[in-house]
Amino acid sequence: MSDLLKQLNSNPMTGWLAKSIGLPNPVTLARENGPYQPQPFSGKRALLVSTTNGYLEAPLRELLEAADAEILRADELAEQERIDMLVVDGSGCQSPGDYTALYERLHPIVRRIATNGRVLLLAPHPEEAANAVASGVARGLEGFSRSLGKELGPRGITVNLAYVARNAGDRLDMLLRFFCGPQTAYVSGQAITVTAHTKSPAELPCEQLLAGKVALVTGAARGIGLSTAQRLRQEGAQVICLDIPAASEELERVAREMGAEALALDISAADAPAKLLEFVREQFGGVDILVHNAGITRDKTLGKMPEHFWQQVMQVNLEAIVAIDQALLDAQLIREHGRLVYLSSMSGVAGNFGQTNYATTKAALIGYVAALGPALAERGICANAVAPGFIETAMTDAMPFVTREAGRRLNSLKQGGQPRDVAELVCFLSSPGAYGVNGNTIRVCGQGLIGA
């Protein structure tokens, strides 16, 4: 569905009115339609800024150069020159006085970031802080980055933060490529943790990231699941598209079009784990990537919710996922260095009226990955969750106008996201290079104001 505010602002007959009454004019977000390139920052200008005693400047500079970014110094910028990305090594921030250095370095340049630019702030891991003050100072950088994201978001600029453990400086390549690239068009205001707990993969490809991998995506016949399957296929993965038998005709069609395998299966059926296990073992011998996208809603306020609404949501959104994981993990069919990605929701982060059942399951997935990821780290397996905000799908198209418009605008980018935006985040988390990110939940919501 087209964006009403963009239409009003771009139309000569209504643009003046939209501007005079202060309606936002959403920026057209720069997105990528193709796969990752080995040198994604060719032609991009980057500013690498460090605060005192940071420990990440050297690896960051090396990675930016390898990705072919033009690294500038602030004093080299001509008066009207803009930068495409600002990378800030804040890993040395340990005392309140270090915030002053942060202000002094960023204040003169923050307005020099181009439309659709990227800001990535690297912070020390609070758990490694020498004392309570240093831990608090590290956490303060999260508030800084989120506020900056809200200031810059209307220009399509995303701002994200990564807490980086001291021994994880060699795990930033894919992180940098994602968070400083067009793939993060609708991911802003997020704070993730990068550690060295997870066993390193043998190879870290910069293109065709998933070549040789087998990926299983549930709920793949349409919407976010379909975009995810297509995106993983684009990076070279063999993809199994799974959806309910009622959607088998559509499932077969989309799978055939992308060169994937279709599997019609109700994941909530009692025998689903056994059937899936048998299929995976016989057809592929195992899977490298498992994306739990399938989910349902059965909305009612708790007092009016019939029991079968509650049970259906629990069964599909949580119990089926746990049962499938258990079956595949016990049978060793999730391969070493596997990637498990779970579709949570903003409802799981902030709750939502009439969704006690749905929000419970989606919040449970956040806790599940936080425990599961570290438990599987020795095998090189990562488990992370993705929490979409307002994404333009057939479901949101069917919303009442006022509800839909409110959902679209209550974020820093002043617009809804695309299924491709979610797929990009899933693709990043599915990549070998994301091995430093394990047990995280990342929102793809344009820095939604609800639950932010």
mmCIF file of all heavy atoms in Angstrom, residues 174-203:
data_model
loop_
_atom_site.group_PDB
_atom_site.id
_atom_site.type_symbol
_atom_site.label_atom_id
_atom_site.label_comp_id
_atom_site.label_asym_id
_atom_site.label_seq_id
_atom_site.Cartn_x
_atom_site.Cartn_y
_atom_site.Cartn_z
ATOM 1 N N MET A 174 30.970 -8.676 9.897
ATOM 2 C CA MET A 174 29.591 -8.787 9.398
ATOM 3 C C MET A 174 28.689 -7.793 10.103
ATOM 4 O O MET A 174 27.743 -7.240 9.509
ATOM 5 C CB MET A 174 29.092 -10.224 9.612
ATOM 6 C CG MET A 174 27.820 -10.547 8.852
ATOM 7 S SD MET A 174 28.019 -10.380 7.061
ATOM 8 C CE MET A 174 26.364 -9.872 6.607
ATOM 9 N N LEU A 175 28.976 -7.546 11.377
ATOM 10 C CA LEU A 175 28.208 -6.553 12.143
ATOM 11 C C LEU A 175 28.292 -5.179 11.474
ATOM 12 O O LEU A 175 27.294 -4.482 11.293
ATOM 13 C CB LEU A 175 28.759 -6.485 13.570
ATOM 14 C CG LEU A 175 27.981 -5.611 14.539
ATOM 15 C CD1 LEU A 175 26.952 -6.446 15.285
ATOM 16 C CD2 LEU A 175 28.923 -4.948 15.541
ATOM 17 N N LEU A 176 29.503 -4.818 11.090
ATOM 18 C CA LEU A 176 29.727 -3.522 10.454
ATOM 19 C C LEU A 176 29.029 -3.463 9.093
ATOM 20 O O LEU A 176 28.404 -2.464 8.734
ATOM 21 C CB LEU A 176 31.235 -3.318 10.286
ATOM 22 C CG LEU A 176 31.760 -1.894 10.219
ATOM 23 C CD1 LEU A 176 31.488 -1.138 11.492
ATOM 24 C CD2 LEU A 176 33.264 -1.907 9.940
ATOM 25 N N ARG A 177 29.132 -4.560 8.328
ATOM 26 C CA ARG A 177 28.524 -4.593 7.001
ATOM 27 C C ARG A 177 27.003 -4.468 7.077
ATOM 28 O O ARG A 177 26.379 -3.852 6.219
ATOM 29 C CB ARG A 177 28.919 -5.890 6.273
ATOM 30 C CG ARG A 177 30.373 -5.917 5.868
ATOM 31 C CD ARG A 177 30.830 -7.275 5.376
ATOM 32 N NE ARG A 177 32.267 -7.281 5.146
ATOM 33 C CZ ARG A 177 32.834 -7.189 3.939
ATOM 34 N NH1 ARG A 177 32.083 -7.111 2.864
ATOM 35 N NH2 ARG A 177 34.141 -7.178 3.810
ATOM 36 N N PHE A 178 26.409 -5.065 8.120
ATOM 37 C CA PHE A 178 24.953 -4.976 8.258
ATOM 38 C C PHE A 178 24.523 -3.613 8.800
ATOM 39 O O PHE A 178 23.714 -2.919 8.178
ATOM 40 C CB PHE A 178 24.438 -6.091 9.168
ATOM 41 C CG PHE A 178 22.954 -6.000 9.432
ATOM 42 C CD1 PHE A 178 22.036 -6.269 8.418
ATOM 43 C CD2 PHE A 178 22.472 -5.611 10.667
ATOM 44 C CE1 PHE A 178 20.677 -6.158 8.642
ATOM 45 C CE2 PHE A 178 21.110 -5.501 10.902
ATOM 46 C CZ PHE A 178 20.209 -5.776 9.882
ATOM 47 N N PHE A 179 25.075 -3.228 9.931
ATOM 48 C CA PHE A 179 24.577 -2.016 10.591
ATOM 49 C C PHE A 179 25.026 -0.719 9.907
ATOM 50 O O PHE A 179 24.472 0.344 10.217
ATOM 51 C CB PHE A 179 24.973 -2.008 12.063
ATOM 52 C CG PHE A 179 24.101 -2.898 12.911
ATOM 53 C CD1 PHE A 179 24.570 -4.112 13.367
ATOM 54 C CD2 PHE A 179 22.804 -2.536 13.216
ATOM 55 C CE1 PHE A 179 23.771 -4.950 14.130
ATOM 56 C CE2 PHE A 179 21.986 -3.361 13.978
ATOM 57 C CZ PHE A 179 22.463 -4.573 14.440
ATOM 58 N N CYS A 180 26.007 -0.788 9.024
ATOM 59 C CA CYS A 180 26.394 0.411 8.268
ATOM 60 C C CYS A 180 25.941 0.339 6.815
ATOM 61 O O CYS A 180 26.307 1.193 6.005
ATOM 62 C CB CYS A 180 27.912 0.616 8.336
ATOM 63 S SG CYS A 180 28.477 1.105 9.971
ATOM 64 N N GLY A 181 25.176 -0.680 6.460
ATOM 65 C CA GLY A 181 24.743 -0.855 5.087
ATOM 66 C C GLY A 181 23.262 -0.577 4.896
ATOM 67 O O GLY A 181 22.528 -0.334 5.862
ATOM 68 N N PRO A 182 22.775 -0.635 3.649
ATOM 69 C CA PRO A 182 21.352 -0.398 3.376
ATOM 70 C C PRO A 182 20.443 -1.487 3.955
ATOM 71 O O PRO A 182 19.245 -1.279 4.060
ATOM 72 C CB PRO A 182 21.303 -0.381 1.837
ATOM 73 C CG PRO A 182 22.496 -1.166 1.402
ATOM 74 C CD PRO A 182 23.547 -0.908 2.429
ATOM 75 N N GLN A 183 21.035 -2.628 4.325
ATOM 76 C CA GLN A 183 20.224 -3.722 4.877
ATOM 77 C C GLN A 183 19.566 -3.343 6.203
ATOM 78 O O GLN A 183 18.627 -3.993 6.643
ATOM 79 C CB GLN A 183 21.090 -4.971 5.069
ATOM 80 C CG GLN A 183 21.605 -5.595 3.778
ATOM 81 C CD GLN A 183 22.857 -4.928 3.244
ATOM 82 O OE1 GLN A 183 23.413 -4.038 3.886
ATOM 83 N NE2 GLN A 183 23.307 -5.351 2.077
ATOM 84 N N THR A 184 20.066 -2.324 6.860
ATOM 85 C CA THR A 184 19.516 -1.932 8.155
ATOM 86 C C THR A 184 18.604 -0.709 8.044
ATOM 87 O O THR A 184 18.466 0.072 8.996
ATOM 88 C CB THR A 184 20.668 -1.684 9.154
ATOM 89 O OG1 THR A 184 20.147 -1.559 10.456
ATOM 90 C CG2 THR A 184 21.460 -0.464 8.796
ATOM 91 N N ALA A 185 17.947 -0.590 6.887
ATOM 92 C CA ALA A 185 17.108 0.588 6.625
ATOM 93 C C ALA A 185 16.028 0.799 7.684
ATOM 94 O O ALA A 185 15.648 1.937 7.969
ATOM 95 C CB ALA A 185 16.459 0.449 5.249
ATOM 96 N N TYR A 186 15.517 -0.282 8.279
ATOM 97 C CA TYR A 186 14.403 -0.131 9.242
ATOM 98 C C TYR A 186 14.793 -0.635 10.632
ATOM 99 O O TYR A 186 13.947 -0.876 11.475
ATOM 100 C CB TYR A 186 13.178 -0.887 8.725
ATOM 101 C CG TYR A 186 11.866 -0.370 9.268
ATOM 102 C CD1 TYR A 186 11.442 0.932 9.006
ATOM 103 C CD2 TYR A 186 11.037 -1.179 10.030
ATOM 104 C CE1 TYR A 186 10.251 1.414 9.508
ATOM 105 C CE2 TYR A 186 9.820 -0.709 10.530
ATOM 106 C CZ TYR A 186 9.444 0.589 10.255
ATOM 107 O OH TYR A 186 8.230 1.070 10.759
ATOM 108 N N VAL A 187 16.094 -0.804 10.870
ATOM 109 C CA VAL A 187 16.583 -1.226 12.190
ATOM 110 C C VAL A 187 17.310 -0.041 12.807
ATOM 111 O O VAL A 187 18.378 0.357 12.332
ATOM 112 C CB VAL A 187 17.534 -2.435 12.092
ATOM 113 C CG1 VAL A 187 18.028 -2.835 13.480
ATOM 114 C CG2 VAL A 187 16.838 -3.611 11.417
ATOM 115 N N SER A 188 16.748 0.534 13.842
ATOM 116 C CA SER A 188 17.366 1.696 14.482
ATOM 117 C C SER A 188 17.037 1.692 15.970
ATOM 118 O O SER A 188 16.029 1.132 16.402
ATOM 119 C CB SER A 188 16.869 2.995 13.833
ATOM 120 O OG SER A 188 17.637 4.098 14.290
ATOM 121 N N GLY A 189 17.939 2.316 16.738
ATOM 122 C CA GLY A 189 17.719 2.413 18.174
ATOM 123 C C GLY A 189 17.934 1.105 18.916
ATOM 124 O O GLY A 189 17.448 0.936 20.029
ATOM 125 N N GLN A 190 18.682 0.182 18.303
ATOM 126 C CA GLN A 190 18.881 -1.124 18.924
ATOM 127 C C GLN A 190 20.221 -1.200 19.641
ATOM 128 O O GLN A 190 21.186 -0.542 19.270
ATOM 129 C CB GLN A 190 18.796 -2.217 17.862
ATOM 130 C CG GLN A 190 17.459 -2.230 17.131
ATOM 131 C CD GLN A 190 16.304 -2.327 18.115
ATOM 132 O OE1 GLN A 190 16.135 -3.329 18.791
ATOM 133 N NE2 GLN A 190 15.519 -1.263 18.207
ATOM 134 N N ALA A 191 20.256 -2.021 20.678
ATOM 135 C CA ALA A 191 21.492 -2.285 21.423
ATOM 136 C C ALA A 191 21.700 -3.787 21.458
ATOM 137 O O ALA A 191 20.846 -4.517 21.958
ATOM 138 C CB ALA A 191 21.398 -1.731 22.837
ATOM 139 N N ILE A 192 22.789 -4.248 20.887
ATOM 140 C CA ILE A 192 23.073 -5.677 20.875
ATOM 141 C C ILE A 192 24.387 -5.941 21.601
ATOM 142 O O ILE A 192 25.176 -5.019 21.842
ATOM 143 C CB ILE A 192 23.145 -6.231 19.436
ATOM 144 C CG1 ILE A 192 24.334 -5.621 18.689
ATOM 145 C CG2 ILE A 192 21.859 -5.944 18.679
ATOM 146 C CD1 ILE A 192 24.633 -6.334 17.407
ATOM 147 N N THR A 193 24.606 -7.180 21.935
ATOM 148 C CA THR A 193 25.820 -7.564 22.653
ATOM 149 C C THR A 193 26.642 -8.515 21.791
ATOM 150 O O THR A 193 26.109 -9.480 21.232
ATOM 151 C CB THR A 193 25.450 -8.251 23.981
ATOM 152 O OG1 THR A 193 24.676 -7.339 24.765
ATOM 153 C CG2 THR A 193 26.694 -8.634 24.751
ATOM 154 N N VAL A 194 27.924 -8.235 21.678
ATOM 155 C CA VAL A 194 28.842 -9.068 20.900
ATOM 156 C C VAL A 194 29.860 -9.687 21.859
ATOM 157 O O VAL A 194 30.571 -8.963 22.567
ATOM 158 C CB VAL A 194 29.572 -8.236 19.823
ATOM 159 C CG1 VAL A 194 30.485 -9.121 18.986
ATOM 160 C CG2 VAL A 194 28.560 -7.517 18.931
ATOM 161 N N THR A 195 29.922 -10.991 21.871
ATOM 162 C CA THR A 195 30.858 -11.686 22.758
ATOM 163 C C THR A 195 31.672 -12.701 21.954
ATOM 164 O O THR A 195 31.403 -12.948 20.776
ATOM 165 C CB THR A 195 30.111 -12.429 23.877
ATOM 166 O OG1 THR A 195 29.392 -13.531 23.303
ATOM 167 C CG2 THR A 195 29.148 -11.514 24.617
ATOM 168 N N ALA A 196 32.632 -13.304 22.631
ATOM 169 C CA ALA A 196 33.470 -14.341 21.993
ATOM 170 C C ALA A 196 33.111 -15.722 22.527
ATOM 171 O O ALA A 196 33.912 -16.651 22.442
ATOM 172 C CB ALA A 196 34.946 -14.031 22.254
ATOM 173 N N HIS A 197 31.902 -15.884 23.057
ATOM 174 C CA HIS A 197 31.512 -17.163 23.655
ATOM 175 C C HIS A 197 31.283 -18.255 22.618
ATOM 176 O O HIS A 197 31.491 -19.437 22.904
ATOM 177 C CB HIS A 197 30.220 -16.991 24.473
ATOM 178 C CG HIS A 197 30.342 -16.016 25.602
ATOM 179 N ND1 HIS A 197 31.502 -15.875 26.327
ATOM 180 C CD2 HIS A 197 29.452 -15.134 26.142
ATOM 181 C CE1 HIS A 197 31.328 -14.946 27.259
ATOM 182 N NE2 HIS A 197 30.101 -14.478 27.162
ATOM 183 N N THR A 198 30.822 -17.881 21.434
ATOM 184 C CA THR A 198 30.404 -18.872 20.443
ATOM 185 C C THR A 198 31.591 -19.333 19.601
ATOM 186 O O THR A 198 32.396 -18.511 19.149
ATOM 187 C CB THR A 198 29.315 -18.272 19.521
ATOM 188 O OG1 THR A 198 28.269 -17.739 20.336
ATOM 189 C CG2 THR A 198 28.741 -19.339 18.602
ATOM 190 N N LYS A 199 31.678 -20.625 19.403
ATOM 191 C CA LYS A 199 32.762 -21.220 18.613
ATOM 192 C C LYS A 199 32.796 -20.614 17.204
ATOM 193 O O LYS A 199 31.751 -20.469 16.553
ATOM 194 C CB LYS A 199 32.521 -22.728 18.519
ATOM 195 C CG LYS A 199 33.585 -23.515 17.813
ATOM 196 C CD LYS A 199 33.196 -24.993 17.842
ATOM 197 C CE LYS A 199 34.121 -25.839 16.988
ATOM 198 N NZ LYS A 199 33.659 -27.253 16.960
ATOM 199 N N SER A 200 33.988 -20.285 16.729
ATOM 200 C CA SER A 200 34.138 -19.614 15.432
ATOM 201 C C SER A 200 33.933 -20.583 14.273
ATOM 202 O O SER A 200 34.402 -21.715 14.329
ATOM 203 C CB SER A 200 35.545 -19.012 15.311
ATOM 204 O OG SER A 200 35.824 -18.192 16.405
ATOM 205 N N PRO A 201 33.261 -20.123 13.204
ATOM 206 C CA PRO A 201 33.161 -20.963 12.003
ATOM 207 C C PRO A 201 34.498 -20.990 11.262
ATOM 208 O O PRO A 201 35.331 -20.096 11.428
ATOM 209 C CB PRO A 201 32.075 -20.264 11.174
ATOM 210 C CG PRO A 201 32.099 -18.850 11.633
ATOM 211 C CD PRO A 201 32.530 -18.853 13.060
ATOM 212 N N ALA A 202 34.666 -22.003 10.428
ATOM 213 C CA ALA A 202 35.927 -22.140 9.692
ATOM 214 C C ALA A 202 36.044 -21.095 8.593
ATOM 215 O O ALA A 202 37.137 -20.638 8.275
ATOM 216 C CB ALA A 202 36.020 -23.547 9.107
ATOM 217 N N GLU A 203 34.915 -20.707 8.001
ATOM 218 C CA GLU A 203 34.938 -19.758 6.891
ATOM 219 C C GLU A 203 33.969 -18.616 7.158
ATOM 220 O O GLU A 203 32.888 -18.820 7.717
ATOM 221 C CB GLU A 203 34.552 -20.455 5.579
ATOM 222 C CG GLU A 203 35.555 -21.523 5.155
ATOM 223 C CD GLU A 203 35.172 -22.178 3.839
ATOM 224 O OE1 GLU A 203 34.117 -21.796 3.269
ATOM 225 O OE2 GLU A 203 35.915 -23.058 3.386
#
